[in-house]
């Protein structure tokens, strides 16, 4: 049996990409697992999880601002809470991600980092993680 | 060995989000599995699977209608069947989803439901499911 | 333990969908695994992996050209490398995919093929694959 681990993610803006790669590295190290898979799940409908560039932070700001241009908060929506744009972005980016683990490290490309995507913050969020050995 | 389960999903409109959470609950209950993962796959190229809000139905109608605004059926496409918009939406939302199972229940946030996304209905669709114990 | 397999994918245009279904079939056949899951991961931040129609090639060109229309390369971006559009497309389509394997074959719908999505080519890319028996 693999236990579920609930990580806290505190967001500070309405739209924000938070680098959770260090937390994922820690989960893997703490588990002692060398080869397997780490699975991530966002239990929220106005947030998501993705992989993107870890070097130039303007990449993340470009993604966020362009998504806001494509799907503006003040589009004509029926849902009365004023966050339909965030629900759409959540389904487009997705709430689920799996990453291979090899030699005790996540298998990521040189420029890849793991980002929790907040689309309706600031909020206190959870990221649910499970790590499995091969 | 985990068997594949083929669920029938009957759609009634061109664009529709169908709540399949009850069917997923039933698969988990029938399996007797307490802790593991349930994996979902859509074997169609003009449909998808996503998680989004299960409370206010206007969220789903907002997602569908905004996707139709962004990617209209009558955009200028080459594909002669007139459903290129549905193929694009299918790749953007995605055909694959995995959900943790804990204590015999799917691990979902309070407001999360599982939706089969029809983009070129009405049709008789399949949703393929596999449940694995940890 | 399941080994990671690194497949080479050579792209020839800036935007291109490459059918990698034959390579995936070969990995499954070589593994001898009859029932399980094959997992795919793209270790790049300007590429992705998706499933879409394998019959009419105009579907793929429609997807690529419509994504370019929605998210043009010359949008107003901060990132100085001129490929922010490709980073956005990568996160929208996604870098991760899993496919069931049954009877030694990938479980795909009649019209489904597996496509490596290049958004900032031409480049020499990798696709990382792991196959697991049930």
């Amino acid at each position: 049996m693999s236990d579920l681990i609930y990580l806290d993610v505190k967001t500070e803006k309405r739209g924000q990409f938070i680098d959770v790669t260090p937390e994922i590295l820690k989960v893997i190290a703490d588990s002692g697992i060398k080869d397997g898979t780490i699975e991530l799940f966002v239990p929220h409908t106005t947030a998501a999880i993705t992989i993107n560039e870890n070097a130039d932070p303007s990449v993340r700001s470009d993604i966020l601002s362009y998504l806001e241009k494509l799907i503006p908060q003040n589009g004509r929506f029926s849902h009365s809470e004023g966050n339909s744009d965030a629900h759409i972005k959540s389904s487009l980016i997705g709430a689920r991600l799996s990453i291979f683990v090899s030699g005790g490290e996540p298998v990521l490309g040189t420029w890849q980092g793991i980002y929790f995507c907040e689309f309706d913050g600031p909020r206190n969020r959870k990221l649910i993680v499970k790590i499995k050995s091969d």
Side-chain angles (χ1 to χ4, degrees), chain A:
Chain A
M1 180 180 157
S2 314
D3 287 329
L4 294 177
I5 298 161
Y6 286 72
L7 301 177
D8 291 307
V9 181
K10 189 171 174 54
T11 66
E12 287 157 356
K13 297 192 212 170
R14 180 156 202 270
Q16 191 177 6
F17 273 34
I18 311 234
D19 185 356
V20 293
T21 319
E23 285 76 10
I24 300 308
L25 289 169
K26 187 173 184 310
V27 168
I28 297 172
D30 289 352
S31 75
I33 287 174
K34 296 301 174 195
D35 296 288
T37 304
I38 184 159
E39 302 183 343
L40 314 179
F41 182 73
V42 173
H44 309 287
T45 58
T46 54
I49 187 93
T50 196
I51 288 178
N52 220 298
E53 184 178 309
N54 59 11
D56 182 354
S58 70
V59 170
R60 277 101 70 195
S61 64
D62 278 347
I63 298 174
L64 270 172
S65 61
Y66 204 83
L67 284 177
E68 179 61 23
K69 186 175 157 183
L70 272 183
I71 310 159
Q73 188 181 2
N74 61 2
R76 290 187 199 155
F77 297 116
S78 307
H79 181 50
S80 60
E81 293 181 18
N83 62 358
S84 282
D85 67 306
H87 287 287
I88 298 168
K89 292 165 189 166
S90 174
S91 274
L92 287 174
I93 302 293
R96 190 59 153 75
L97 189 64
S98 298
I99 296 164
F100 300 134
V101 175
S102 179
E105 303 279 345
V107 176
L108 292 169
T110 313
W111 307 108
Q112 288 184 316
I114 308 164
Y115 292 90
F116 184 97
C117 309
E118 173 64 84
F119 296 122
D120 193 36
R123 299 203 196 204
N124 292 314
R125 301 291 204 172
K126 296 283 180 192
L127 177 61
I128 310 180
V129 178
K130 184 188 276 195
I131 181 163
K132 292 191 208 171
S133 186
D134 274 340

